[in-house]
Amino acid sequence: MKFRKFMPVLILVFMLAACGSDATLPVTPTVSSQTTTDTTTTNPRTTVATIASTSVAISAASTTTAGTVPANNVTPASNHPRLWVKGSDLPRLRSWAVDSNPVYKSGILVLANRAKAEMDNGTVPKGDEGTNTYVDYPTETYAELFAFMSLISNDQATRDDYAKRARTLLMFVINQAEQGVAEGKPFRDQEFSTNDRSRWHGEAFSLTVDWIYSYLTPKDKESILKVFLRWSEENLNAQITGHDHPEPIGKVNDPELVKDTREIRWSANNYWTAHMRNLGQMAMALDPGDDPDNKLGAYLANATGAWLYVFDHFLRNEGKGGMLPEGFEYSPQTTAYAIQFLLALHTAGQDNPAKWGPQVSLNGNPFWSDFVQGYLHSLGSNTVMNPDLGPVYQPAWYGDGLKYWSPDFIQAFAPLALYYGVTGNKAAQADLRWIQTNLAPGGADYLLKRITNTTFYQDAILYFMLFDPSAPAPADPRPKLKLSFFAPGMGRVLSRTSWDKNASWFTYKLSWNSVDHQNGDGNQFEFYRKGEWLTKERSGYDLDYGSSDNHNTLTLQNTAPEHNEAGAFRNVNWLLGSQWAHVSNGNPQLVAYSPAPNYEYVLGDATPLYNSESEGPVSILHASRSILWIKPDYIFVYDRAESKNSGTFKRFWLNLPAVASVTGNQTSMTTASGQKLFITTLLPSNASVTIEAASTPPQAGDVAEMDSITHKLKVEAPGGPTSVRFLNVLQGADAGANADNVTLIQSSGGTSYAGAVVKNVAALFPVDITTSFVTVIYTVPASVTEQYVTGLKPNTGYNVAIQKKGNDSQVTITLGGPSQTDVGGVLVLK
């Protein structure tokens, strides 16, 4: 497998996804309608036409996988257009294509006129080299734009002109591709249909065919069929990432497809969903009369019953909660391709669960509403100014990143809004219209610029379709949301004090790490206050191969991996003591989570992320973190680290947006606006506390553009002990404020606990999370009015006895009593 270190600069510049390769013999798809215990193997002699004539019977297991959705009484569309747009939509869309609609006159029409000029002067298609990756003038996108304009324009002569332009460009590509695979020849590369170009623009071919269908000659359709059949087979056997298609090839709606957890996780890769979209939409583009024996249409069973079946399973399990593993750089693309396919299934009348399985119904999967909420919860409360784009939101980023601002989600949110609109969820559609107006780069004032400046013509099409000029102005959906958001699939917590500009905001993440573009961010936390980050991850692309020192968590020195070539990601991860990318031992565990109005608590065990049995290093015995945010300004972080070997470093890291100073055990930082961050290190008692520049060798990859991190706080346990506990207390404060006094507290009897007192707040954590609780005795100053004791059984009663001893209070807690813990095992004493 080729890992990220081999990506060329061009791939970084144009936001490519995971790369790699495998080899798979092509197998003709077949239908599996067996029960969950059936082990029938694929029959390679079965023709693709068999699928179309078989009504798929969904097994009990696969129904559970995809959820239960009532069957839709839908009839497949028999006319054109039917992909994304239906014939019944045309009168409405044409009524919007008028000079009084700025999205038309000053948006998509400007783009269409520019595209016509580029075609008339020969730039298109001559400027298209026909490669499988980036080109300046991708012919198919011009064809797509012209095809759409041929639908919405209001006079026949204009419609004819646009359609003829679309046909000319479409057939320019098809006629060359029809000649067969030839390396180095335009539009004939083996990976033209599966590599980068196909995911960026692959929808254009099926949409253009559908949208100008009446303008295509019988010979055109024969050529299109021939090319689409080859491209479909290439998608069926794609070899871009090494994890591009469901296995075994040919099985559909079969539980065997979701037996391998690692392969299920790869279905959230952007290539996977692009192949699914392109395969499915090509299968729906031609009429039965132009697809003899339904050879092309038969591939729809694979797109729905294999690709979508596995992806839907992922969304309900590994990705539950609305977030995908690849983060803000690639997940917008992954979701966009999937939603576009689901929309096409609906407009084509092919989203019938009784025929294809419940996964074809977007409304049947709660992931999609969570997806929108997760996006809103991921954005800061304030914008920053980008010199080219205007005001942009900087999100709680995760995964690889080239540019540290939230991208335009139009390719995902517009088709989702269109789906909601045609299925009756007008409120959700209005929410997405507000989001695309106000939260996309540049905000409302830059909406038309986002249309006319796009290099993806589908963006302009989707903006036009989304913005009904007669629709009432939508309201901000954020005040309707809760203040805490949890995505269990990605172990993602996002919690804020309010939705206004002075909010405090806490983020946490603990996820499995086994696919590309993930980083060593297990047990990462971040803190945002009054419009700026006080501490956050250091965002970048392949930045030190995603090393944990960039992610506000621990680095723990392990033994050397078997594959340890200098500069390779394993070598870099090992040198820095990072969690392992791709090859970690298994899943971490989010042991406890407590959302509450005045606090947020998480206990996460990240031990498996630091070991890699497949590579050899397995010397980390334990790595867990308890973290308690007392809203709005205190964060208590208690870390446990244990290893087999002494003399190995153990370090706590905090990434900072400004230089900080260390005095004794206290670190102070002042942000650009004058806010303060104070960090008090209580454990280990002899800790080495230093500040260093953010650039940490070996430097592999790039810092994201506009990332704010400049320095790092490093807390190290001197001497490399086999076991260490870190306790750091953070305080956010306004300009000119002083740090509150912070003192260490430790239990004097019973189960071993440690914690801290800040002002009138005490927080305690178990020293060992594997030790059964019996009782605990500790002492706090009598001035303490709030106590938070963590690590107890959830929703369980405890007895609390408090005895005054001079200026202190001795607290004894035992199991069984009237004081109740919360859902995460936190006992709050006030």
Side-chain angles (χ1 to χ4, degrees):
M1 174 180 289
K2 295 181 286 183
F3 287 99
R4 295 178 294 186
K5 68 179 185 298
F6 296 114
M7 285 186 168
V9 172
L10 182 62
I11 293 179
L12 295 179
V13 172
F14 295 105
M15 302 187 303
L16 310 189
C19 55
S21 64
D22 67 358
T24 307
L25 293 175
V27 179
T28 304
T30 64
V31 169
S32 171
S33 57
Q34 288 79 30
T35 64
T36 57
T37 57
D38 187 71
T39 57
T40 303
T41 57
T42 303
N43 179 1
R45 293 176 294 178
T46 305
T47 65
V48 282
T50 306
I51 296 178
S53 62
T54 304
S55 179
V56 179
I58 308 301
S59 70
S62 60
T63 301
T64 302
T65 297
T68 302
V69 181
N72 295 332
N73 294 318
V74 293
T75 302
S78 58
N79 55 2
H80 300 271
R82 59 178 176 238
L83 300 180
W84 298 15
V85 182
K86 296 188 292 186
S88 58
D89 297 324
L90 297 185
R92 173 174 50 85
L93 294 177
R94 289 173 183 171
S95 74
W96 299 358
V98 292
D99 287 350
S100 59
N101 178 9
V103 175
Y104 173 74
K105 182 180 180 181
S106 301
I108 194 170
L109 183 61
V110 172
L111 206 61
N113 287 334
R114 186 189 308 156
K116 286 168 62 176
E118 290 170 340
M119 184 176 180
D120 290 343
N121 67 26
T123 302
V124 178
K126 288 183 180 179
D128 186 349
E129 298 90 344
T131 68
N132 64 31
T133 184
Y134 177 82
V135 294
D136 288 327
Y137 302 99
T139 304
E140 63 270 30
T141 66
Y142 286 78
E144 178 182 7
L145 177 62
F146 292 147
F148 184 73
M149 297 301 289
S150 78
L151 297 178
I152 67 170
S153 297
N154 276 299
D155 68 88
Q156 191 61 49
T158 303
R159 289 198 291 269
D160 290 345
D161 178 69
Y162 278 126
K164 290 174 183 177
R165 289 175 180 272
R167 177 186 174 273
T168 296
L169 297 179
L170 170 70
M171 298 312 298
F172 175 80
V173 177
I174 293 294
N175 289 337
Q176 294 180 74
E178 187 181 11
Q179 299 175 52
V181 173
E183 186 176 354
K185 297 292 185 180
F187 311 107
R188 297 172 64 187
D189 186 271
Q190 178 72 44
E191 294 183 350
F192 180 83
S193 67
T194 59
N195 211 315
D196 299 315
R197 184 166 177 164
S198 74
R199 65 186 177 93
W200 292 330
H201 313 304
E203 86 293 337
F205 292 103
S206 56
L207 294 182
T208 301
V209 168
D210 174 52
W211 292 348
I212 64 165
Y213 206 78
S214 62
Y215 291 85
L216 298 172
T217 69
K219 176 63 174 65
D220 291 341
K221 294 170 186 175
E222 289 178 7
S223 298
I224 291 166
L225 175 63
K226 181 178 178 181
V227 172
F228 277 15
L229 283 171
R230 176 166 63 80
W231 286 354
S232 295
E233 196 66 17
E234 289 167 358
N235 273 266
L236 197 70
N237 298 275
Q239 303 177 32
I240 305 303
T241 68
H243 306 271
D244 293 86
H245 47 71
E247 293 282 0
I249 295 175
K251 287 289 185 73
V252 298
N253 287 298
D254 192 309
E256 188 175 354
L257 293 165
V258 291
K259 283 184 177 180
D260 187 331
T261 299
R262 181 174 173 82
E263 294 305 315
I264 293 169
R265 291 173 177 176
W266 273 96
S267 72
N269 175 265
N270 52 93
Y271 281 110
W272 174 290
T273 57
H275 297 153
M276 173 180 72
R277 176 199 63 185
N278 296 347
L279 183 67
Q281 290 189 183
M282 285 190 293
M284 294 185 285
L286 294 180
D287 288 342
D290 299 314
D291 179 19
D293 300 320
N294 198 37
K295 290 182 179 179
L296 180 63
Y299 282 99
L300 185 59
N302 259 285
T304 59
W307 268 265
L308 187 55
Y309 178 88
V310 177
F311 185 61
D312 183 89
H313 178 94
F314 173 88
L315 299 183
R316 297 174 188 276
N317 296 280
E318 301 289 308
K320 183 178 181 181
M323 292 189 167
L324 297 182
E326 293 183 337
F328 267 82
E329 184 78 22
Y330 291 103
S331 291
Q333 299 170 52
T334 301
T335 52
Y337 308 148
I339 297 168
Q340 290 166 16
F341 177 47
L342 287 163
L343 174 64
L345 285 170
H346 181 78
T347 57
Q350 294 285 6
D351 59 337
N352 188 345
K355 181 177 183 180
W356 301 117
Q359 65 270 20
V360 299
S361 173
L362 186 151
N363 280 335
N365 193 326
F367 177 91
W368 298 114
S369 61
D370 291 339
F371 168 58
V372 178
Q373 291 188 46
Y375 165 83
L376 291 171
H377 276 277
S378 294
L379 300 189
S381 55
N382 299 57
T383 59
V384 298
M385 188 58 64
N386 181 293
D388 299 318
L389 302 173
V392 295
Y393 284 91
Q394 292 186 310
W397 196 275
Y398 67 99
D400 280 338
L402 286 168
K403 300 175 180 180
Y404 180 49
W405 59 84
S406 179
D408 190 348
F409 274 64
I410 187 66
Q411 293 187 18
F413 285 161
L416 184 59
L418 295 173
Y419 183 94
Y420 285 148
V422 297
T423 56
N425 193 344
K426 300 297 184 181
Q429 184 183 44
D431 289 347
L432 288 163
R433 191 179 292 121
W434 184 90
I435 288 170
Q436 279 303 136
T437 302
N438 297 283
L439 302 185
D445 292 341
Y446 282 68
L447 191 150
L448 295 178
K449 289 184 180 179
R450 292 196 292 277
I451 299 173
T452 57
N453 291 347
T454 184
T455 56
F456 291 85
Y457 288 167
Q458 69 159 286
D459 292 8
I461 294 168
L462 290 169
Y463 266 109
F464 177 82
M465 294 175 68
L466 174 63
F467 282 96
D468 179 349
S470 65
D476 184 346
R478 294 174 296 181
K480 298 182 296 185
L481 302 178
K482 295 179 179 179
L483 296 177
S484 291
F485 177 84
F486 176 49
M490 290 293 103
R492 188 69 161 149
V493 174
L494 300 161
S495 180
R496 63 186 72 217
T497 55
S498 70
W499 289 102
D500 64 38
K501 293 184 180 299
N502 289 319
S504 291
W505 183 31
F506 168 84
T507 87
Y508 170 86
K509 185 172 184 291
L510 180 62
S511 167
W512 45 267
N513 184 348
S514 57
V515 303
D516 212 351
H517 305 300
Q518 292 186 286
N519 292 320
D521 57 7
N523 275 331
Q524 171 183 293
F525 76 98
E526 300 168 306
F527 187 39
Y528 180 98
R529 187 181 187 274
K530 295 187 177 181
E532 62 184 342
W533 289 107
L534 273 61
T535 181
K536 62 174 285 293
E537 71 155 32
R538 187 172 177 234
S539 304
Y541 201 105
D542 278 351
L543 186 61
D544 301 320
Y545 294 108
S547 178
S548 299
D549 61 312
N550 293 310
H551 294 284
N552 288 359
T553 189
L554 301 181
T555 58
L556 307 174
Q557 188 177 9
N558 212 320
T559 52
E562 293 179 6
H563 302 90
N564 201 21
E565 298 81 7
F569 85 92
R570 297 172 180 85
N571 175 258
V572 173
N573 285 174
W574 168 66
L575 288 173
L576 296 174
S578 177
Q579 299 163 13
W580 297 97
H582 306 291
V583 293
S584 61
N585 250 16
N587 298 338
Q589 182 182 5
L590 199 150
V591 180
Y593 169 52
S594 299
N598 67 316
Y599 68 92
E600 207 91 4
Y601 166 73
V602 184
L603 168 58
D605 185 348
T607 308
L609 300 178
Y610 288 92
N611 291 313
S612 176
E613 189 171 351
S614 65
E615 293 298 318
V618 290
S619 68
I620 304 305
L621 300 177
H622 187 82
S624 68
R625 166 168 287 176
S626 295
I627 187 164
L628 176 67
W629 176 38
I630 305 298
K631 304 174 185 178
D633 283 331
Y634 297 143
I635 300 177
F636 300 80
V637 189
Y638 188 84
D639 290 294
R640 309 163 190 86
E642 298 178 8
S643 64
K644 295 179 182 178
N645 305 320
S646 62
T648 55
F649 67 74
K650 296 172 178 63
R651 298 165 179 164
F652 167 96
W653 294 91
L654 206 62
N655 289 268
L656 305 172
V659 67
S661 60
V662 180
T663 303
N665 70 341
Q666 188 175 90
T667 302
S668 302
M669 183 200 72
T670 302
T671 69
S673 72
Q675 290 192 80
K676 299 285 188 178
L677 176 65
F678 303 109
I679 308 107
T680 304
T681 299
L682 298 174
L683 293 175
S685 58
N686 62 340
S688 168
V689 183
T690 56
I691 301 295
E692 59 185 54
S695 295
T696 304
Q699 189 68 28
D702 300 298
V703 177
E705 183 180 346
M706 289 186 67
D707 184 72
S708 59
I709 296 303
T710 62
H711 290 79
K712 296 182 179 184
L713 166 69
K714 179 174 72 173
V715 179
E716 184 161 5
T722 57
S723 180
V724 67
R725 299 296 182 266
F726 294 94
L727 176 56
N728 293 276
V729 180
L730 283 68
Q731 177 192 349
D734 293 334
N738 295 318
D740 292 329
N741 188 47
V742 183
T743 57
L744 177 69
I745 54 176
Q746 294 178 300
S747 59
S748 58
T751 304
S752 183
Y753 266 72
V757 172
V758 184
K759 205 170 183 179
N760 64 336
V761 176
L764 288 100
F765 310 96
V767 173
D768 184 348
I769 64 172
T770 64
T771 301
S772 298
F773 179 87
V774 178
T775 185
V776 64
I777 302 171
Y778 62 90
T779 299
V780 295
S783 59
V784 169
T785 57
E786 297 179 25
Q787 300 181 48
Y788 299 83
V789 183
T790 69
L792 304 176
K793 291 183 179 180
N795 302 313
T796 301
Y798 287 82
N799 186 68
V800 179
I802 301 177
Q803 183 180 1
K804 296 291 184 180
K805 289 193 173 184
N807 293 325
D808 296 327
S809 298
Q810 180 177 285
V811 182
T812 303
I813 300 174
T814 55
L815 184 62
S819 298
Q820 195 81 5
T821 58
D822 68 10
V823 294
V826 178
L827 181 63
V828 181
L829 306 177
K830 293 188 177 182

